[in-house]
Amino acid sequence: MTCWDDQDESLDGAARTKACAGGAGLDAGTIGTCATGSKGAALQKTAADYFMTTYPTHAHSGIFSVPNIQIDGARQDDTSYSGLVGVLCSKGVKSTACSAVMI
C-alpha cells in the first residue's frame, strides 16, 4: 500500500500497478489479469462479505480506522510496535522481540 500511495496521483491504476509490481519483483500483467478477471471479482466479493459480517455497524456508515488490527479477534487500539508485540508475546508467541518489550 505504501508504494501505491507514494505514486504520482496523476497515474492511473495500471501505471501504479506496473510501478509497484516491478519494485516487488512481481508481474504486473498477472496482477492485472487477476484483478479484472473472475478470480478478482470473487476475491472482492469474499472480502466484502467478510467485512459486512465482521463489521456490520461499519459496513454502510460509521467510523472505521485502517488498518484495523485484530489479535485473536480482539481489536487492538494500541497499534504501536511495542503494543502489538506485547500482546502477541503475552499470547505465547516466541520471538526475540518479546525479550525487548515489557509485557
Side-chain angles (χ1 to χ4, degrees), residues 57-102:
T57 59
H58 295 90
H60 300 286
S61 65
I63 297 172
F64 187 79
S65 61
V66 176
N68 183 319
I69 300 171
Q70 295 191 17
I71 298 175
D72 284 345
R75 181 173 179 202
Q76 301 303 303
D77 292 320
D78 180 358
T79 58
S80 68
Y81 175 81
S82 61
L84 295 173
V85 170
V87 172
L88 290 169
C89 296
S90 72
K91 299 217 175 258
V93 170
K94 303 295 183 214
S95 171
T96 56
C98 294
S99 62
V101 175
M102 292 183 61

Side-chain angles (χ1 to χ4, degrees), residues 14 17-35:
T17 300
K18 186 175 180 180
C20 293
L26 303 171
D27 179 60
T30 301
I31 293 169
T33 299
C34 177

